């Protein structure tokens, strides 16, 4: 099994890479920090005996990240799974960002996943593989905060549907996970309305589901109820939830 | 900016004698190690299990390095491991034992980080045989905002290397470490040698200096002061220390042991525990022991630590030269008979090293004395009297264990204290790195 994890150096991505290595997947790890990637690759190889390739790539500035990753794979190499737990949010994403900042958020949260999927699709189809996308509970309903981030994450729902509509389950499986708050450096120090989830636990759940069919899940599952409540909230009430 | 996102946490020393609401950074990538503005006071924090407040303090930022816990290189033939300094000693031992190696010097708490072990220059199960943690460190990489990244070893930047071993984290954040490994015994046989006094224990310790494991446990009550047993752990061909005996990570003692709502270690509790342990141990004999159990005895002590209740505990640890030890032990027995402190246990160990910097090392016998309710006036008076006795007998204090020490006692007990302080200051420009411990000791 060869699996690529994009955004692997920290947070949920690192935990996914660790869990995959524990289950003996050979890995291609992608992130911006070469030193972090090298450390993770060494650790996973030593602890679990798996082969790990790494690609240091700044997704905010890479014009064609898909081509870079395709070039990093051997010509003959199949790809069984592509996990895209990459993401970036910013403070002041409340209609205060300039064009450059908006472009950076869209590049990481939307352009990069799309470009990578496009480039690697033939390899995944050859292996009858699986693509795992990561949306966000923040995208369930538009708010005055996380404007660009949520827009990009909601666009991934559309990508998920497009892939499922285009390819039969026997050709390609597509999974979309929409996490709530996760206990990573991104949420550290924030006042959150509910406890953040353990990324290692989420990783175990997601990796355990890799062999299953296409699916869309909120993780942890309690966020499905929260999403339903948010969606069902009358507009007049929802509009008042500006905090 | 998210790069150096700060949260606030209530941090408590393991002995519960100091607690503070602290700003905490949790970097998870290398670039975030340097993300704090260069004028922000800070201190690295590993497992957060030091008895004293060595990794936090009011006013500064604790940089939690738990994400830097990866194994970087392992030379199985030569016995060398390069590892990030946030790695837990328990995890490292689990990895190594499965491959026929281990770290001979390891503290009792499996959650201590490798960086913390260096900063505290901890000792293991027989410092007279194995030395302190620095003996197995070949090189380290340190981050400091004004200095950048520097590699220090005995050959390269030796002054920084020496200052960082036992430097209490004041020379910067240790990021990576290359360690020299040892071959573990196939198994251990723990021989019990009953003793009736601390002086007798010291004699047994001296006779057994080359044992793999060597320490004494003693009753601290006035009526039975010093009575106990010396454990002599010898290598065995029987595979009693099988790797599969290593408990999983989830079984490790937590960083903070939840205190019981009541105090177990009142006089009746101490008497009952000593009576039971004496009945169980105070007879000659031997029994096989798993290496895992011998390496991490604190995993079996959760109830013991919880029993101190919210008042916590104190540990005073003094290393007394051989020629003064018997007189010290006798004076200590007299003091205990006079003041009748609530001592929960006394542990004895043999040292045969060279006192360097602020490290707890030297040539003599060390006593670790644990007390309940250290804020109560009689207990405090005993701790003061103990310090006086130890200083009078040329004792050297363990700074990383004893919350009751102040700068003056440390200066009197550690020859070269001011020199060591000056060396630390030279590697800590502007006093950027600091903790409650360094503040208390005036470092």
């Amino acid at each position: 099994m060869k699996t690529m994890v994009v955004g692997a150096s920290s947070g949920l991505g690192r935990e996914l890479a660790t869990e995959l290595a524990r289950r003996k997947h050979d890995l291609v790890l992608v992130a911006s920090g070469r030193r972090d990637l090298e450390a993770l690759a060494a650790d996973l190889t030593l602890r679990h005996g798996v082969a790990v390739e790494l690609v240091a790539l700044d997704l905010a500035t890479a014009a064609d990240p898909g081509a870079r990753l395709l070039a990093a794979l051997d010509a003959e190499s199949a790809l069984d799974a592509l996990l895209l737990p990459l993401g970036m949010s910013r403070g002041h994403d409340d209609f205060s960002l300039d064009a450059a900042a908006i472009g950076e958020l869209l590049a990481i949260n939307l352009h990069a996943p799309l470009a990578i999927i496009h480039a690697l699709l033939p390899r995944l189809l050859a292996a009858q593989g699986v693509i795992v996308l990561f949306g966000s509970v923040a995208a369930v309903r538009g708010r005055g905060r996380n404007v660009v981030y949520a827009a990009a994450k909601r666009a991934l729902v559309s990508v998920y549907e497009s892939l499922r509509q285009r390819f039969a389950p026997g050709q390609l499986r597509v999974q979309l996970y929409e996490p709530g708050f996760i206990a990573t450096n991104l949420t550290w120090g924030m006042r959150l309305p509910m406890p953040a989830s353990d990324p290692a636990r989420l990783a175990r759940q997601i990796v355990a589901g890799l062999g299953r069919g296409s699916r869309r899940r909120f993780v942890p599952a309690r966020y499905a109820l929260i999403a339903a409540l948010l969606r069902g909230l009358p507009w007049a009430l929802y509009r008042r939830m500006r905090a | 900016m998210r790069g150096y996102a700060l949260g606030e946490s209530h941090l408590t020393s393991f002995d519960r004698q100091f607690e503070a609401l602290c700003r905490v950074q949790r970097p998870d990538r290398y670039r975030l190690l340097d993300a704090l503005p260069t004028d922000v006071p800070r201190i690295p924090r590993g497992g957060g299990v030091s008895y004293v407040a060595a990794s936090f303090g009011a006013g500064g930022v604790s940089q939690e390095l738990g994400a830097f816990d990866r194994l970087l290189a392992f030379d199985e033939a030569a016995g060398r491991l390069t590892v990030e300094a946030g790695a837990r000693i328990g995890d490292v031992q689990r990895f190594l034992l499965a491959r026929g190696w281990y770290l001979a010097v390891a503290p009792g708490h499996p959650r201590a980080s490798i960086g913390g072990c260096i900063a505290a220059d901890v000792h293991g199960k027989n410092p007279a045989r194995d030395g302190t943690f620095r003996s197995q460190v070949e090189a380290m990489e340190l981050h400091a905002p004004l200095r950048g990244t520097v590699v220090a070893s005995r050959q390269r930047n030796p002054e920084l290397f020496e200052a960082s071993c036992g430097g209490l984290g004041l020379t910067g954040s240790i990021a990576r470490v290359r360690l020299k490994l040892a071959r573990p015994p196939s198994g251990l046989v723990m021989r019990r040698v009953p003793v009736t006094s601390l002086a007798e224990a010291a004699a047994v310790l001296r006779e057994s200096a080359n044992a793999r494991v060597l320490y004494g446990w003693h009753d601290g009550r006035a009526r039975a002061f010093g009575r106990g047993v010396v454990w002599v752990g010898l290598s065995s061909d029987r595979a009693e220390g099988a790797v599969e005996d290593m408990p999983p990570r989830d079984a490790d003692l937590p960083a903070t042991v939840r205190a019981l709502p009541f105090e177990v270690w009142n006089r009746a509790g101490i008497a009952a525990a000593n009576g039971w342990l004496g009945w169980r141990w105070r007879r000659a004999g031997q029994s096989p022991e798993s290496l895992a159990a011998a390496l991490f005895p604190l995993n079996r002590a959760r109830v013991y630590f919880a029993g101190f209740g919210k008042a916590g505990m104190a540990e005073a640890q003094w290393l007394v030269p051989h020629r003064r030890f018997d007189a010290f032990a006798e004076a200590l027995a007299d003091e205990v008979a006079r003041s009748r402190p609530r001592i929960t246990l006394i542990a004895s160990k043999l040292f045969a090293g060279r006192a360097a910097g602020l490290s707890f090392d030297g040539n003599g016998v060390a006593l670790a004395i644990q007390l309940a309710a250290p804020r109560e006036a009689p207990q405090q008076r005993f701790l003061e009297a103990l310090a006086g006795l130890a200083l009078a007998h040329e004792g050297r204090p363990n700074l990383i264990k004893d919350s009751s020490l102040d700068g003056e006692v440390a200066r009197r007990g550690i020859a070269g204290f001011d020199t060591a302080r000056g060396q630390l200051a030279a590697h800590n420009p502007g006093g950027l790195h600091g903790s409650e411990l360094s503040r208390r000791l005036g470092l």
Side-chain angles (χ1 to χ4, degrees):
Chain A
M1 288 282 282
K2 177 169 270 191
T3 299
M4 180 180 285
V5 183
V6 183
S9 65
S10 62
L12 180 60
R14 176 174 161 178
E15 296 297 343
L16 286 166
T18 303
E19 180 62 16
L20 288 161
R22 202 177 66 78
R23 293 174 179 244
K24 303 299 180 190
H25 288 240
D26 289 335
L27 294 169
V28 181
L29 304 181
V30 184
S32 58
R34 173 169 289 280
R35 204 163 185 229
D36 296 295
L37 277 179
E38 287 173 344
L40 183 60
D43 184 78
L44 298 181
T45 302
L46 284 171
R47 287 186 200 270
H48 304 293
V50 296
V52 183
E53 301 165 55
L54 54 93
V55 182
L57 182 61
D58 183 355
L59 296 169
T61 56
D64 191 351
R68 281 284 307 277
L69 299 188
L70 187 60
L73 292 175
D74 297 337
E76 308 296 319
S77 175
L79 187 62
D80 298 286
L82 170 64
L83 281 74
L84 295 159
L86 67 165
M88 175 188 176
S89 65
R90 298 181 70 125
H92 309 297
D93 183 8
D94 55 0
F95 295 105
S96 305
L97 298 178
D98 60 23
I102 293 169
E104 188 182 42
L105 281 177
L106 289 176
I108 291 175
N109 292 305
L110 183 57
H111 177 262
L114 272 170
I116 292 166
I117 289 170
H118 276 73
L120 301 184
L121 202 45
R123 301 293 184 96
L124 288 156
L125 288 169
Q128 296 177 312
V130 56
I131 295 174
V132 184
L133 294 161
F134 290 84
S136 171
V137 167
V140 165
R141 205 163 176 183
R143 295 190 305 151
R145 294 195 320 190
N146 284 330
V147 175
V148 180
Y149 173 78
K153 287 295 186 184
R154 198 183 302 183
L156 290 181
V157 179
S158 176
V159 175
Y160 162 78
E161 290 170 349
S162 296
L163 285 164
R164 287 197 66 185
Q165 206 272 340
R166 174 69 178 78
F167 299 103
Q171 294 176 287
L172 181 75
R173 289 168 294 119
V174 191
Q175 299 179 347
L176 171 66
Y177 289 97
E178 294 170 273
F181 299 112
I182 306 177
T184 67
N185 188 54
L186 285 176
T187 55
W188 173 243
M190 294 173 117
R191 288 185 183 173
L192 303 175
M194 60 186 67
S197 305
D198 174 14
R201 195 169 182 175
L202 291 186
R204 285 195 293 274
Q205 181 183 346
I206 291 162
V207 173
L210 270 185
R212 296 174 178 257
S214 295
R215 48 172 32 193
R216 180 180 174 185
R217 294 278 191 281
F218 287 95
V219 283
R222 65 175 181 270
Y223 280 99
L225 177 64
I226 293 165
L229 289 171
L230 278 174
R231 283 199 197 102
L233 210 59
W235 176 252
L237 272 178
Y238 181 70
R239 195 168 180 281
R240 296 176 69 173
M241 294 173 59
R242 291 183 187 170
Chain B
M1 178 182 168
R2 291 281 167 76
Y4 58 93
L6 298 179
E8 286 194 330
S9 294
H10 277 283
L11 300 180
T12 308
S13 57
F14 191 78
D15 66 4
R16 294 185 185 275
Q17 298 314 300
F18 188 78
E19 180 182 336
L21 180 63
C22 298
R23 290 181 298 161
V24 178
Q25 184 205 15
R26 287 184 171 167
D28 59 358
R29 278 159 283 183
Y30 276 98
R31 68 178 173 78
L32 298 183
L33 280 177
D34 299 323
L36 284 176
T38 53
D39 60 346
V40 171
R42 70 201 65 193
I43 189 75
R45 180 172 168 86
V49 295
S50 88
Y51 278 45
V52 297
S55 63
F56 65 94
V61 171
S62 288
Q63 283 190 301
E64 286 194 356
L65 302 178
F68 297 88
D69 64 348
R70 293 162 289 206
L71 309 176
L72 301 174
F74 176 49
D75 185 337
E76 193 156 7
R80 296 291 185 278
L81 177 73
T82 304
V83 63
E84 290 181 317
R88 295 181 189 176
I89 190 87
D91 291 344
V92 171
Q93 295 285 43
R94 268 185 278 270
F95 173 82
L96 292 173
L97 283 167
R99 290 157 181 82
W101 292 97
Y102 85 137
L103 290 168
V105 183
H109 201 311
R111 287 182 193 256
S113 69
I114 295 291
C117 290
I118 295 172
D121 197 17
V122 297
H123 58 265
K125 305 301 167 275
N126 183 4
R129 178 184 190 270
D130 301 317
T132 58
F133 202 85
R134 72 169 70 205
S135 66
Q136 53 198 13
V137 179
E138 289 195 335
M140 66 181 94
E141 181 186 295
L142 289 115
H143 278 274
L146 301 176
R147 190 185 56 215
T149 301
V150 178
V151 173
S153 67
R154 289 179 181 81
Q155 295 77 36
R156 197 169 164 188
N157 298 308
E159 289 181 1
L160 177 59
F161 181 85
E162 287 298 321
S164 299
C165 293
L168 308 174
L170 303 180
T171 61
S173 296
I174 301 169
R176 297 173 166 214
V177 184
R178 189 174 73 239
L179 298 162
K180 185 173 66 178
L181 312 174
R183 291 289 188 189
S186 300
L188 284 174
V189 169
M190 298 296 287
R191 182 174 297 164
R192 295 186 303 273
V193 183
V195 293
T196 56
S197 69
L198 293 177
E200 188 182 343
V204 175
L205 291 171
R206 291 181 197 112
E207 289 165 6
S208 312
N210 285 322
R212 291 268 187 174
V213 178
L214 183 64
Y215 63 91
W217 161 82
H218 308 276
D219 196 325
R221 294 172 298 161
R223 61 188 291 266
F225 186 79
R227 195 172 65 181
V229 60
V230 174
W231 294 96
V232 183
L234 303 172
S235 298
S236 159
D237 291 336
R238 292 180 58 190
E240 301 293 348
V243 171
E244 53 268 28
D245 288 345
M246 274 296 281
R249 192 178 211 242
D250 292 347
D252 285 349
L253 184 71
T256 306
V257 178
R258 188 188 294 267
L260 291 173
F262 52 90
E263 198 180 322
V264 172
W265 304 127
N266 50 32
R267 293 194 188 281
I270 291 171
N274 276 286
W276 181 68
L277 292 174
W279 170 80
R280 196 172 164 211
W281 289 345
R282 283 204 66 255
R283 54 183 184 274
Q286 63 182 40
S287 53
E289 169 102 322
S290 95
L291 185 59
L295 281 173
F296 298 114
L298 297 198
N299 275 347
R300 293 172 292 180
R302 189 182 299 217
V303 174
Y304 170 74
F305 289 117
F308 286 105
K310 296 192 187 309
M313 58 172 284
E315 177 169 320
Q317 198 169 30
W318 291 87
L319 173 55
V320 177
H322 293 294
R323 60 188 166 73
R324 304 298 303 273
F325 184 78
D326 288 0
F328 169 66
E330 192 175 332
L332 182 59
D334 290 343
E335 176 59 33
V336 167
R338 190 185 66 77
S339 59
R340 305 180 73 80
R342 277 196 282 150
I343 295 173
T344 52
L345 72 79
I346 299 175
S348 57
K349 279 186 179 171
L350 187 71
F351 282 72
R354 177 182 61 88
L358 301 177
S359 291
F360 188 66
D361 202 358
N363 200 346
V365 176
L367 294 183
I369 301 173
Q370 296 188 345
L371 293 97
R375 291 200 187 97
E376 290 181 3
Q379 300 288 80
Q380 286 190 354
R381 282 196 294 274
F382 171 74
L383 284 167
E384 288 169 16
L386 169 61
L389 280 177
L391 289 172
H393 291 84
E394 301 174 38
R396 183 180 178 92
N398 191 347
L399 305 182
I400 202 68
K401 284 290 181 75
D402 191 342
S403 279
S404 71
L405 294 173
D406 60 25
E408 183 53 31
V409 172
R411 179 179 289 103
R412 290 171 60 198
I414 295 177
F417 179 87
D418 288 328
T419 304
R421 187 174 68 165
Q423 287 167 345
L424 283 176
H427 296 295
N428 185 19
L432 198 62
H433 289 86
S435 63
E436 164 58 19
L437 173 64
S438 68
R439 185 204 61 75
R440 174 162 52 80
L441 297 176
L443 295 172

